[in-house]
Short mmCIF file of all heavy atoms in Angstrom, two decimals:
data_model
loop_
_atom_site.label_atom_id
_atom_site.label_comp_id
_atom_site.label_asym_id
_atom_site.label_seq_id
_atom_site.Cartn_x
_atom_site.Cartn_y
_atom_site.Cartn_z
N MET A 186 98.74 111.79 98.88
CA MET A 186 98.69 110.54 99.64
C MET A 186 99.98 110.40 100.45
O MET A 186 101.06 110.60 99.94
CB MET A 186 98.54 109.34 98.68
CG MET A 186 98.64 108.01 99.38
SD MET A 186 98.92 106.62 98.25
CE MET A 186 97.28 106.11 97.89
N VAL A 187 99.83 110.09 101.70
CA VAL A 187 100.98 109.83 102.56
C VAL A 187 100.88 108.38 103.01
O VAL A 187 99.83 107.94 103.48
CB VAL A 187 101.00 110.75 103.80
CG1 VAL A 187 102.13 110.37 104.73
CG2 VAL A 187 101.11 112.20 103.37
N VAL A 188 101.97 107.65 102.82
CA VAL A 188 101.99 106.24 103.19
C VAL A 188 103.20 105.97 104.05
O VAL A 188 104.29 106.47 103.76
CB VAL A 188 102.04 105.32 101.94
CG1 VAL A 188 102.06 103.87 102.34
CG2 VAL A 188 100.89 105.62 101.02
N GLU A 189 103.01 105.22 105.11
CA GLU A 189 104.14 104.83 105.95
C GLU A 189 104.46 103.36 105.67
O GLU A 189 103.56 102.52 105.64
CB GLU A 189 103.79 105.01 107.42
CG GLU A 189 103.62 106.48 107.80
CD GLU A 189 103.34 106.66 109.27
OE1 GLU A 189 103.49 105.71 110.05
OE2 GLU A 189 102.96 107.78 109.64
N PHE A 190 105.73 103.09 105.46
CA PHE A 190 106.18 101.72 105.22
C PHE A 190 107.02 101.28 106.43
O PHE A 190 107.95 101.99 106.81
CB PHE A 190 107.06 101.64 103.97
CG PHE A 190 106.34 101.93 102.69
CD1 PHE A 190 106.36 103.20 102.13
CD2 PHE A 190 105.63 100.93 102.04
CE1 PHE A 190 105.69 103.47 100.96
CE2 PHE A 190 104.96 101.19 100.86
CZ PHE A 190 104.99 102.46 100.32
N PRO A 191 106.70 100.13 106.99
CA PRO A 191 107.55 99.61 108.08
C PRO A 191 108.96 99.36 107.53
O PRO A 191 109.13 98.65 106.54
CB PRO A 191 106.88 98.30 108.47
CG PRO A 191 105.49 98.40 107.93
CD PRO A 191 105.57 99.27 106.72
N LEU A 192 109.96 99.97 108.16
CA LEU A 192 111.32 99.91 107.61
C LEU A 192 111.86 98.49 107.58
O LEU A 192 112.53 98.10 106.63
CB LEU A 192 112.25 100.83 108.41
CG LEU A 192 111.96 102.32 108.27
CD1 LEU A 192 112.96 103.12 109.09
CD2 LEU A 192 111.97 102.75 106.82
N ASN A 193 111.59 97.71 108.64
CA ASN A 193 112.11 96.35 108.67
C ASN A 193 111.55 95.54 107.49
O ASN A 193 112.30 94.84 106.80
CB ASN A 193 111.77 95.69 110.01
CG ASN A 193 112.60 94.46 110.26
OD1 ASN A 193 112.36 93.43 109.66
ND2 ASN A 193 113.58 94.58 111.15
N GLU A 194 110.27 95.69 107.26
CA GLU A 194 109.63 94.98 106.15
C GLU A 194 110.18 95.45 104.81
O GLU A 194 110.44 94.66 103.90
CB GLU A 194 108.13 95.23 106.22
CG GLU A 194 107.32 94.57 105.13
CD GLU A 194 105.85 94.94 105.26
OE1 GLU A 194 105.32 94.88 106.39
OE2 GLU A 194 105.24 95.31 104.25
N MET A 195 110.41 96.75 104.70
CA MET A 195 110.91 97.31 103.45
C MET A 195 112.33 96.83 103.18
O MET A 195 112.68 96.47 102.05
CB MET A 195 110.87 98.84 103.53
CG MET A 195 110.99 99.53 102.22
SD MET A 195 110.64 101.28 102.45
CE MET A 195 111.00 101.85 100.80
N ARG A 196 113.15 96.80 104.24
CA ARG A 196 114.53 96.33 104.07
C ARG A 196 114.54 94.86 103.69
O ARG A 196 115.32 94.43 102.84
CB ARG A 196 115.32 96.57 105.37
CG ARG A 196 116.69 95.92 105.44
CD ARG A 196 117.65 96.47 104.40
NE ARG A 196 118.91 95.76 104.47
CZ ARG A 196 119.16 94.62 103.80
NH1 ARG A 196 118.28 94.12 102.97
NH2 ARG A 196 120.32 94.04 103.93
N ARG A 197 113.66 94.04 104.33
CA ARG A 197 113.62 92.62 104.01
C ARG A 197 113.16 92.36 102.59
O ARG A 197 113.50 91.35 102.00
CB ARG A 197 112.72 91.87 105.01
CG ARG A 197 113.42 91.56 106.32
CD ARG A 197 112.63 90.67 107.25
NE ARG A 197 111.57 91.43 107.89
CZ ARG A 197 110.26 91.23 107.68
NH1 ARG A 197 109.86 90.29 106.89
NH2 ARG A 197 109.38 91.98 108.30
N SER A 198 112.38 93.30 102.02
CA SER A 198 111.90 93.11 100.66
C SER A 198 112.79 93.82 99.64
O SER A 198 112.37 94.06 98.51
CB SER A 198 110.45 93.61 100.53
OG SER A 198 110.38 95.00 100.75
N CYS A 199 114.00 94.11 100.03
CA CYS A 199 114.94 94.76 99.12
C CYS A 199 115.00 94.00 97.79
O CYS A 199 115.14 92.78 97.77
CB CYS A 199 116.34 94.81 99.74
SG CYS A 199 117.58 95.51 98.63
N PRO A 200 114.87 94.74 96.68
CA PRO A 200 114.80 94.07 95.37
C PRO A 200 116.15 93.81 94.71
O PRO A 200 116.20 93.37 93.56
CB PRO A 200 113.98 95.07 94.54
CG PRO A 200 114.35 96.40 95.11
CD PRO A 200 114.58 96.17 96.58
N CYS A 201 117.26 94.04 95.39
CA CYS A 201 118.56 93.85 94.74
C CYS A 201 118.83 92.35 94.54
O CYS A 201 118.22 91.50 95.19
CB CYS A 201 119.69 94.52 95.52
SG CYS A 201 120.36 93.54 96.87
N ALA A 202 119.74 92.05 93.65
CA ALA A 202 120.01 90.65 93.29
C ALA A 202 120.46 89.83 94.50
O ALA A 202 120.05 88.69 94.67
CB ALA A 202 121.08 90.61 92.19
N ALA A 203 121.30 90.42 95.35
CA ALA A 203 121.80 89.68 96.52
C ALA A 203 120.66 89.30 97.46
O ALA A 203 120.60 88.17 97.95
CB ALA A 203 122.85 90.52 97.25
N CYS A 204 119.75 90.23 97.71
CA CYS A 204 118.64 89.95 98.62
C CYS A 204 117.64 88.99 97.99
O CYS A 204 117.09 88.12 98.68
CB CYS A 204 117.96 91.25 99.05
SG CYS A 204 118.99 92.28 100.11
N VAL A 205 117.40 89.14 96.70
CA VAL A 205 116.47 88.24 96.02
C VAL A 205 116.99 86.80 96.10
O VAL A 205 116.22 85.87 96.32
CB VAL A 205 116.25 88.68 94.55
CG1 VAL A 205 115.53 87.61 93.75
CG2 VAL A 205 115.45 89.99 94.52
N GLN A 206 118.30 86.64 95.98
CA GLN A 206 118.88 85.29 96.07
C GLN A 206 118.69 84.67 97.45
O GLN A 206 118.67 83.46 97.59
CB GLN A 206 120.38 85.33 95.74
CG GLN A 206 120.66 85.41 94.26
CD GLN A 206 122.14 85.29 93.96
OE1 GLN A 206 122.98 85.67 94.78
NE2 GLN A 206 122.46 84.77 92.79
N LEU A 207 118.56 85.53 98.47
CA LEU A 207 118.38 85.03 99.85
C LEU A 207 116.93 84.71 100.18
O LEU A 207 116.64 84.12 101.23
CB LEU A 207 118.90 86.08 100.85
CG LEU A 207 120.40 86.33 100.83
CD1 LEU A 207 120.75 87.53 101.72
CD2 LEU A 207 121.16 85.09 101.27
N ARG A 208 115.98 85.07 99.31
CA ARG A 208 114.55 84.87 99.59
C ARG A 208 114.22 83.41 99.96
O ARG A 208 113.50 83.19 100.93
CB ARG A 208 113.68 85.29 98.41
CG ARG A 208 113.68 86.75 98.14
CD ARG A 208 112.63 87.53 98.91
NE ARG A 208 112.52 88.83 98.33
CZ ARG A 208 113.35 89.86 98.56
NH1 ARG A 208 114.34 89.73 99.41
NH2 ARG A 208 113.19 91.00 97.97
N PRO A 209 114.72 82.42 99.21
CA PRO A 209 114.36 81.04 99.56
C PRO A 209 114.81 80.65 100.97
O PRO A 209 114.23 79.76 101.59
CB PRO A 209 115.09 80.20 98.50
CG PRO A 209 115.29 81.12 97.35
CD PRO A 209 115.51 82.48 97.98
N GLN A 210 115.84 81.31 101.50
CA GLN A 210 116.31 81.03 102.86
C GLN A 210 115.73 82.00 103.88
O GLN A 210 116.23 82.13 104.98
CB GLN A 210 117.84 81.10 102.92
CG GLN A 210 118.57 80.03 102.13
CD GLN A 210 118.82 80.47 100.69
OE1 GLN A 210 119.20 81.59 100.44
NE2 GLN A 210 118.57 79.58 99.74
N GLY A 211 114.69 82.72 103.50
CA GLY A 211 114.03 83.64 104.44
C GLY A 211 114.41 85.09 104.26
O GLY A 211 113.98 85.93 105.04
N GLY A 212 115.24 85.38 103.28
CA GLY A 212 115.61 86.77 103.00
C GLY A 212 116.80 87.23 103.82
O GLY A 212 117.36 86.46 104.61
N PRO A 213 117.20 88.48 103.62
CA PRO A 213 118.38 88.98 104.32
C PRO A 213 118.12 89.11 105.82
O PRO A 213 116.99 89.32 106.25
CB PRO A 213 118.58 90.37 103.69
CG PRO A 213 117.24 90.76 103.16
CD PRO A 213 116.57 89.48 102.76
N LYS A 214 119.19 88.94 106.60
CA LYS A 214 119.09 89.16 108.05
C LYS A 214 119.06 90.67 108.27
O LYS A 214 119.95 91.40 107.82
CB LYS A 214 120.28 88.55 108.77
CG LYS A 214 120.24 87.05 108.84
CD LYS A 214 121.32 86.53 109.77
CE LYS A 214 121.11 85.08 110.15
NZ LYS A 214 121.19 84.14 109.06
N VAL A 215 118.04 91.14 108.97
CA VAL A 215 117.83 92.57 109.15
C VAL A 215 117.74 92.88 110.64
O VAL A 215 116.93 92.29 111.35
CB VAL A 215 116.54 93.03 108.44
CG1 VAL A 215 116.28 94.50 108.67
CG2 VAL A 215 116.62 92.72 106.94
N PRO A 216 118.59 93.82 111.13
CA PRO A 216 118.50 94.21 112.53
C PRO A 216 117.11 94.77 112.85
O PRO A 216 116.51 95.46 112.03
CB PRO A 216 119.56 95.31 112.68
CG PRO A 216 120.46 95.15 111.50
CD PRO A 216 119.64 94.55 110.41
N ALA A 217 116.59 94.46 114.02
CA ALA A 217 115.24 94.93 114.40
C ALA A 217 115.16 96.45 114.42
O ALA A 217 114.10 97.01 114.18
CB ALA A 217 114.85 94.35 115.76
N ASP A 218 116.28 97.09 114.70
CA ASP A 218 116.27 98.56 114.81
C ASP A 218 116.78 99.24 113.54
O ASP A 218 117.32 100.35 113.59
CB ASP A 218 117.10 99.00 116.01
CG ASP A 218 118.57 98.57 115.89
OD1 ASP A 218 118.89 97.75 115.00
OD2 ASP A 218 119.39 99.06 116.68
N ILE A 219 116.57 98.58 112.39
CA ILE A 219 117.04 99.14 111.11
C ILE A 219 116.47 100.54 110.89
O ILE A 219 115.31 100.81 111.22
CB ILE A 219 116.65 98.19 109.95
CG1 ILE A 219 117.36 98.59 108.65
CG2 ILE A 219 115.15 98.14 109.74
CD1 ILE A 219 118.69 97.98 108.51
N THR A 220 117.31 101.41 110.36
CA THR A 220 116.85 102.77 110.02
C THR A 220 117.39 103.14 108.64
O THR A 220 118.28 102.48 108.10
CB THR A 220 117.35 103.82 111.04
OG1 THR A 220 118.78 103.82 111.04
CG2 THR A 220 116.81 103.54 112.42
N LEU A 221 116.85 104.22 108.11
CA LEU A 221 117.31 104.77 106.84
C LEU A 221 118.47 105.71 107.10
O LEU A 221 118.41 106.54 108.00
CB LEU A 221 116.20 105.59 106.19
CG LEU A 221 115.12 104.87 105.40
CD1 LEU A 221 114.08 105.87 104.95
CD2 LEU A 221 115.71 104.18 104.22
N VAL A 222 119.52 105.58 106.33
CA VAL A 222 120.60 106.56 106.37
C VAL A 222 120.31 107.65 105.33
O VAL A 222 120.44 108.84 105.59
CB VAL A 222 121.96 105.89 106.09
CG1 VAL A 222 123.07 106.94 105.97
CG2 VAL A 222 122.28 104.89 107.19
N SER A 223 119.87 107.21 104.14
CA SER A 223 119.47 108.18 103.12
C SER A 223 118.58 107.49 102.10
O SER A 223 118.58 106.26 101.97
CB SER A 223 120.70 108.77 102.41
OG SER A 223 121.34 107.79 101.62
N ALA A 224 117.82 108.29 101.39
CA ALA A 224 116.98 107.81 100.30
C ALA A 224 117.01 108.88 99.22
O ALA A 224 116.66 110.02 99.47
CB ALA A 224 115.55 107.56 100.77
N GLU A 225 117.48 108.47 98.04
CA GLU A 225 117.60 109.45 96.96
C GLU A 225 116.88 108.95 95.73
O GLU A 225 116.83 107.75 95.46
CB GLU A 225 119.08 109.69 96.64
CG GLU A 225 119.83 110.31 97.80
CD GLU A 225 121.24 110.76 97.42
OE1 GLU A 225 121.57 110.70 96.23
OE2 GLU A 225 121.97 111.14 98.33
N MET A 226 116.33 109.89 94.98
CA MET A 226 115.66 109.56 93.72
C MET A 226 116.66 108.91 92.77
O MET A 226 117.79 109.40 92.62
CB MET A 226 115.11 110.82 93.06
CG MET A 226 114.07 111.55 93.87
SD MET A 226 112.43 110.90 93.61
CE MET A 226 112.12 111.44 91.95
N HIS A 227 116.25 107.82 92.16
CA HIS A 227 117.05 107.17 91.12
C HIS A 227 116.33 107.47 89.81
O HIS A 227 115.47 106.70 89.36
CB HIS A 227 117.15 105.68 91.39
CG HIS A 227 118.08 104.97 90.46
ND1 HIS A 227 119.44 104.99 90.62
CD2 HIS A 227 117.84 104.23 89.36
CE1 HIS A 227 119.99 104.29 89.65
NE2 HIS A 227 119.06 103.82 88.88
N GLY A 228 116.64 108.61 89.23
CA GLY A 228 115.88 109.08 88.06
C GLY A 228 114.42 109.22 88.45
O GLY A 228 114.09 109.64 89.55
N LEU A 229 113.55 108.83 87.52
CA LEU A 229 112.12 108.84 87.81
C LEU A 229 111.66 107.44 88.14
O LEU A 229 110.46 107.16 88.19
CB LEU A 229 111.33 109.38 86.60
CG LEU A 229 111.60 110.83 86.25
CD1 LEU A 229 110.86 111.21 84.97
CD2 LEU A 229 111.20 111.75 87.40
N TRP A 230 112.59 106.55 88.36
CA TRP A 230 112.30 105.12 88.44
C TRP A 230 112.04 104.63 89.86
O TRP A 230 111.19 103.80 90.09
CB TRP A 230 113.46 104.36 87.81
CG TRP A 230 113.17 102.94 87.57
CD1 TRP A 230 112.46 102.42 86.53
CD2 TRP A 230 113.56 101.85 88.39
NE1 TRP A 230 112.37 101.07 86.66
CE2 TRP A 230 113.05 100.68 87.79
CE3 TRP A 230 114.29 101.73 89.57
CZ2 TRP A 230 113.24 99.42 88.34
CZ3 TRP A 230 114.48 100.48 90.10
CH2 TRP A 230 113.96 99.35 89.48
N GLY A 231 112.82 105.16 90.81
CA GLY A 231 112.64 104.64 92.16
C GLY A 231 113.51 105.34 93.18
O GLY A 231 114.10 106.39 92.90
N LEU A 232 113.59 104.74 94.36
CA LEU A 232 114.38 105.28 95.46
C LEU A 232 115.59 104.39 95.71
O LEU A 232 115.43 103.18 95.87
CB LEU A 232 113.56 105.32 96.74
CG LEU A 232 112.56 106.44 96.92
CD1 LEU A 232 111.80 106.24 98.24
CD2 LEU A 232 113.23 107.79 96.89
N ALA A 233 116.76 105.00 95.73
CA ALA A 233 117.98 104.30 96.11
C ALA A 233 118.18 104.55 97.60
O ALA A 233 118.33 105.68 98.03
CB ALA A 233 119.16 104.81 95.30
N ILE A 234 118.12 103.48 98.38
CA ILE A 234 118.14 103.61 99.83
C ILE A 234 119.44 103.08 100.41
O ILE A 234 119.92 102.02 100.01
CB ILE A 234 116.94 102.85 100.44
CG1 ILE A 234 115.64 103.51 99.96
CG2 ILE A 234 117.01 102.86 101.97
CD1 ILE A 234 114.39 102.81 100.44
N VAL A 235 119.99 103.84 101.34
CA VAL A 235 121.12 103.38 102.14
C VAL A 235 120.57 103.08 103.53
O VAL A 235 119.93 103.94 104.15
CB VAL A 235 122.25 104.44 102.21
CG1 VAL A 235 123.37 103.95 103.12
CG2 VAL A 235 122.78 104.75 100.82
N TRP A 236 120.81 101.85 103.99
CA TRP A 236 120.28 101.39 105.28
C TRP A 236 121.35 101.44 106.36
O TRP A 236 122.54 101.39 106.07
CB TRP A 236 119.77 99.96 105.14
CG TRP A 236 118.62 99.83 104.19
CD1 TRP A 236 118.67 99.46 102.87
CD2 TRP A 236 117.24 100.09 104.46
NE1 TRP A 236 117.42 99.48 102.32
CE2 TRP A 236 116.52 99.86 103.27
CE3 TRP A 236 116.55 100.50 105.58
CZ2 TRP A 236 115.15 100.02 103.19
CZ3 TRP A 236 115.17 100.66 105.51
CH2 TRP A 236 114.49 100.42 104.32
N SER A 237 120.90 101.45 107.60
CA SER A 237 121.84 101.54 108.73
C SER A 237 122.68 100.27 108.89
O SER A 237 123.69 100.30 109.58
CB SER A 237 121.09 101.85 110.03
OG SER A 237 120.12 100.85 110.30
N ASP A 238 122.28 99.16 108.25
CA ASP A 238 123.12 97.95 108.30
C ASP A 238 124.18 97.97 107.20
O ASP A 238 124.89 96.99 107.00
CB ASP A 238 122.25 96.68 108.22
CG ASP A 238 121.51 96.54 106.89
OD1 ASP A 238 121.58 97.47 106.05
OD2 ASP A 238 120.86 95.50 106.69
N GLY A 239 124.29 99.09 106.48
CA GLY A 239 125.31 99.23 105.46
C GLY A 239 124.87 98.82 104.08
O GLY A 239 125.60 99.03 103.10
N HIS A 240 123.69 98.23 103.97
CA HIS A 240 123.21 97.78 102.66
C HIS A 240 122.78 98.97 101.82
O HIS A 240 122.10 99.87 102.31
CB HIS A 240 122.03 96.82 102.86
CG HIS A 240 121.70 96.05 101.62
ND1 HIS A 240 122.55 95.13 101.06
CD2 HIS A 240 120.60 96.07 100.82
CE1 HIS A 240 122.00 94.61 99.99
NE2 HIS A 240 120.82 95.17 99.81
N ALA A 241 123.19 98.97 100.54
CA ALA A 241 122.91 100.16 99.71
C ALA A 241 122.72 99.82 98.24
O ALA A 241 122.81 100.71 97.40
CB ALA A 241 124.03 101.17 99.87
N THR A 242 122.44 98.56 97.92
CA THR A 242 122.36 98.20 96.51
C THR A 242 120.93 98.07 95.98
O THR A 242 120.74 97.83 94.80
CB THR A 242 123.12 96.90 96.23
OG1 THR A 242 122.63 95.89 97.12
CG2 THR A 242 124.61 97.08 96.43
N GLY A 243 119.94 98.24 96.85
CA GLY A 243 118.56 98.08 96.40
C GLY A 243 117.95 99.38 95.91
O GLY A 243 118.13 100.43 96.52
N ILE A 244 117.25 99.30 94.80
CA ILE A 244 116.48 100.45 94.32
C ILE A 244 115.02 100.03 94.34
O ILE A 244 114.61 99.09 93.65
CB ILE A 244 116.90 100.85 92.89
CG1 ILE A 244 118.37 101.26 92.91
CG2 ILE A 244 116.02 102.00 92.38
CD1 ILE A 244 118.96 101.43 91.52
N HIS A 245 114.25 100.72 95.17
CA HIS A 245 112.83 100.39 95.34
C HIS A 245 112.03 101.17 94.31
O HIS A 245 111.94 102.40 94.40
CB HIS A 245 112.38 100.72 96.77
CG HIS A 245 113.08 99.89 97.80
ND1 HIS A 245 112.47 98.85 98.46
CD2 HIS A 245 114.35 99.92 98.23
CE1 HIS A 245 113.33 98.29 99.28
NE2 HIS A 245 114.48 98.92 99.16
N SER A 246 111.47 100.47 93.34
CA SER A 246 110.77 101.16 92.25
C SER A 246 109.50 101.81 92.76
O SER A 246 108.81 101.29 93.65
CB SER A 246 110.46 100.19 91.11
OG SER A 246 109.35 99.38 91.44
N PHE A 247 109.18 102.95 92.18
CA PHE A 247 107.95 103.65 92.56
C PHE A 247 106.73 102.80 92.24
O PHE A 247 105.74 102.84 92.95
CB PHE A 247 107.86 105.01 91.86
CG PHE A 247 108.90 105.98 92.34
CD1 PHE A 247 109.77 106.59 91.45
CD2 PHE A 247 109.01 106.28 93.69
CE1 PHE A 247 110.73 107.48 91.90
CE2 PHE A 247 109.97 107.17 94.15
CZ PHE A 247 110.83 107.77 93.25
N GLU A 248 106.81 102.02 91.18
CA GLU A 248 105.69 101.16 90.80
C GLU A 248 105.39 100.15 91.92
O GLU A 248 104.25 99.98 92.33
CB GLU A 248 106.01 100.42 89.50
CG GLU A 248 104.89 99.52 89.04
CD GLU A 248 105.26 98.74 87.78
OE1 GLU A 248 106.22 99.13 87.09
OE2 GLU A 248 104.59 97.75 87.51
N VAL A 249 106.43 99.51 92.43
CA VAL A 249 106.24 98.53 93.50
C VAL A 249 105.79 99.22 94.79
O VAL A 249 104.91 98.73 95.50
CB VAL A 249 107.53 97.71 93.72
CG1 VAL A 249 107.42 96.84 94.97
CG2 VAL A 249 107.81 96.85 92.50
N LEU A 250 106.38 100.38 95.08
CA LEU A 250 105.98 101.12 96.29
C LEU A 250 104.51 101.52 96.20
O LEU A 250 103.77 101.42 97.18
CB LEU A 250 106.86 102.35 96.47
CG LEU A 250 108.33 102.07 96.84
CD1 LEU A 250 109.15 103.36 96.79
CD2 LEU A 250 108.42 101.43 98.22
N ARG A 251 104.08 101.95 95.01
CA ARG A 251 102.68 102.35 94.87
C ARG A 251 101.75 101.16 95.05
O ARG A 251 100.74 101.25 95.75
CB ARG A 251 102.43 102.99 93.50
CG ARG A 251 100.94 103.29 93.27
CD ARG A 251 100.70 104.20 92.10
NE ARG A 251 101.08 105.56 92.39
CZ ARG A 251 100.30 106.46 93.01
NH1 ARG A 251 99.11 106.11 93.42
NH2 ARG A 251 100.71 107.68 93.21
N ARG A 252 102.10 100.03 94.45
CA ARG A 252 101.26 98.83 94.62
C ARG A 252 101.18 98.43 96.09
O ARG A 252 100.12 98.07 96.59
CB ARG A 252 101.82 97.65 93.79
CG ARG A 252 101.18 97.58 92.41
CD ARG A 252 101.53 96.30 91.70
NE ARG A 252 102.75 96.52 90.91
CZ ARG A 252 103.79 95.72 90.88
NH1 ARG A 252 103.79 94.60 91.53
NH2 ARG A 252 104.84 96.01 90.15
N SER A 253 102.31 98.52 96.78
CA SER A 253 102.32 98.19 98.20
C SER A 253 101.46 99.17 98.99
O SER A 253 100.72 98.78 99.89
CB SER A 253 103.77 98.22 98.71
OG SER A 253 103.82 97.97 100.08
N ALA A 254 101.54 100.45 98.63
CA ALA A 254 100.73 101.46 99.33
C ALA A 254 99.25 101.22 99.10
O ALA A 254 98.44 101.32 100.03
CB ALA A 254 101.13 102.85 98.82
N GLU A 255 98.88 100.89 97.87
CA GLU A 255 97.47 100.64 97.56
C GLU A 255 96.97 99.42 98.31
O GLU A 255 95.84 99.39 98.78
CB GLU A 255 97.28 100.49 96.05
CG GLU A 255 97.45 101.83 95.32
CD GLU A 255 97.52 101.70 93.82
OE1 GLU A 255 97.62 100.56 93.29
OE2 GLU A 255 97.51 102.75 93.16
N ALA A 256 97.83 98.40 98.43
CA ALA A 256 97.43 97.20 99.15
C ALA A 256 97.20 97.51 100.63
O ALA A 256 96.34 96.92 101.27
CB ALA A 256 98.48 96.10 98.99
N ARG A 257 97.99 98.45 101.17
CA ARG A 257 97.83 98.83 102.58
C ARG A 257 96.54 99.58 102.82
O ARG A 257 96.01 99.58 103.91
CB ARG A 257 99.00 99.71 103.03
CG ARG A 257 100.26 98.95 103.18
CD ARG A 257 101.44 99.89 103.43
NE ARG A 257 102.66 99.14 103.29
CZ ARG A 257 103.10 98.28 104.18
NH1 ARG A 257 102.44 98.08 105.28
NH2 ARG A 257 104.20 97.60 103.97
N ASN A 258 96.06 100.27 101.79
CA ASN A 258 94.84 101.06 101.96
C ASN A 258 93.57 100.26 101.71
O ASN A 258 92.49 100.78 101.86
CB ASN A 258 94.88 102.28 101.01
CG ASN A 258 95.78 103.37 101.56
OD1 ASN A 258 96.10 103.36 102.75
ND2 ASN A 258 96.19 104.28 100.72
N ASP A 259 93.74 99.00 101.30
CA ASP A 259 92.53 98.18 101.04
C ASP A 259 91.86 97.79 102.34
O ASP A 259 92.44 97.72 103.38
CB ASP A 259 92.90 96.91 100.25
CG ASP A 259 93.19 97.25 98.79
OD1 ASP A 259 92.85 98.37 98.37
OD2 ASP A 259 93.76 96.39 98.10
ZN1 LIG B 664 119.34 94.17 98.78
#
Protein backbone atom coordinates (compact mmCIF):
# COMPACT_ATOMS: atom_id res chain seq x y z
CA MET A 1 0.00 0.00 0.00
CA VAL A 2 1.29 3.43 -0.91
CA VAL A 3 -0.30 6.43 0.77
CA GLU A 4 0.42 10.09 0.27
CA PHE A 5 -0.07 12.44 3.20
CA PRO A 6 -0.40 16.19 2.62
CA LEU A 7 2.63 17.59 4.45
CA ASN A 8 0.91 20.73 5.69
CA GLU A 9 -1.89 18.67 7.22
CA MET A 10 0.59 16.21 8.70
CA ARG A 11 2.68 18.98 10.25
CA ARG A 12 -0.44 20.64 11.70
CA SER A 13 -1.45 17.33 13.29
CA CYS A 14 1.92 16.90 14.97
CA PRO A 15 1.33 14.81 18.10
CA CYS A 16 4.01 16.40 20.31
CA ALA A 17 3.01 18.05 23.58
CA ALA A 18 3.74 21.58 22.34
CA CYS A 19 1.55 21.21 19.25
CA VAL A 20 -1.23 19.44 21.14
CA GLN A 21 -1.34 22.39 23.56
CA LEU A 22 -1.85 24.73 20.58
CA ARG A 23 -4.86 22.76 19.22
CA PRO A 24 -7.51 24.86 21.00
CA GLN A 25 -6.02 27.97 19.33
CA GLY A 26 -6.01 26.34 15.88
CA GLY A 27 -2.78 24.37 16.14
CA PRO A 28 0.77 25.32 15.25
CA LYS A 29 1.46 27.97 12.62
CA VAL A 30 2.76 26.08 9.60
CA PRO A 31 4.36 27.64 6.51
CA ALA A 32 2.39 26.80 3.34
CA ASP A 33 5.55 25.47 1.71
CA ILE A 34 6.48 23.14 4.59
CA THR A 35 8.71 20.23 3.59
CA LEU A 36 10.33 17.25 5.25
CA VAL A 37 13.99 17.53 6.16
CA SER A 38 14.17 13.94 7.38
CA ALA A 39 12.02 11.09 8.64
CA GLU A 40 13.54 8.29 10.67
CA MET A 41 12.12 5.18 12.26
CA HIS A 42 11.58 5.58 15.99
CA GLY A 43 11.92 1.92 16.91
CA LEU A 44 8.92 0.03 15.61
CA TRP A 45 6.62 2.68 17.00
CA GLY A 46 6.60 5.53 14.53
CA LEU A 47 8.36 8.15 12.45
CA ALA A 48 10.44 10.93 13.97
CA ILE A 49 10.14 13.80 11.52
CA VAL A 50 12.26 16.91 11.15
CA TRP A 51 10.35 19.67 9.35
CA SER A 52 11.65 22.59 7.31
CA ASP A 53 10.27 25.03 9.91
CA GLY A 54 12.74 23.55 12.40
CA HIS A 55 10.17 21.54 14.34
CA ALA A 56 11.48 18.11 15.32
CA THR A 57 9.75 16.90 18.48
CA GLY A 58 6.80 15.01 17.00
CA ILE A 59 6.77 11.26 16.55
CA HIS A 60 3.98 10.15 14.24
CA SER A 61 2.91 6.68 15.35
CA PHE A 62 2.42 4.03 12.70
CA GLU A 63 -0.94 3.22 14.28
CA VAL A 64 -2.23 6.77 13.72
CA LEU A 65 -0.70 6.93 10.23
CA ARG A 66 -2.40 3.66 9.31
CA ARG A 67 -5.78 4.84 10.59
CA SER A 68 -5.37 8.05 8.62
CA ALA A 69 -4.41 6.08 5.50
CA GLU A 70 -7.43 3.80 5.84
CA ALA A 71 -9.71 6.80 6.28
CA ARG A 72 -8.30 8.27 3.04
CA ASN A 73 -9.10 5.08 1.16
CA ASP A 74 -12.75 5.02 2.26
ZN1 LIG B 1 4.85 19.21 17.40
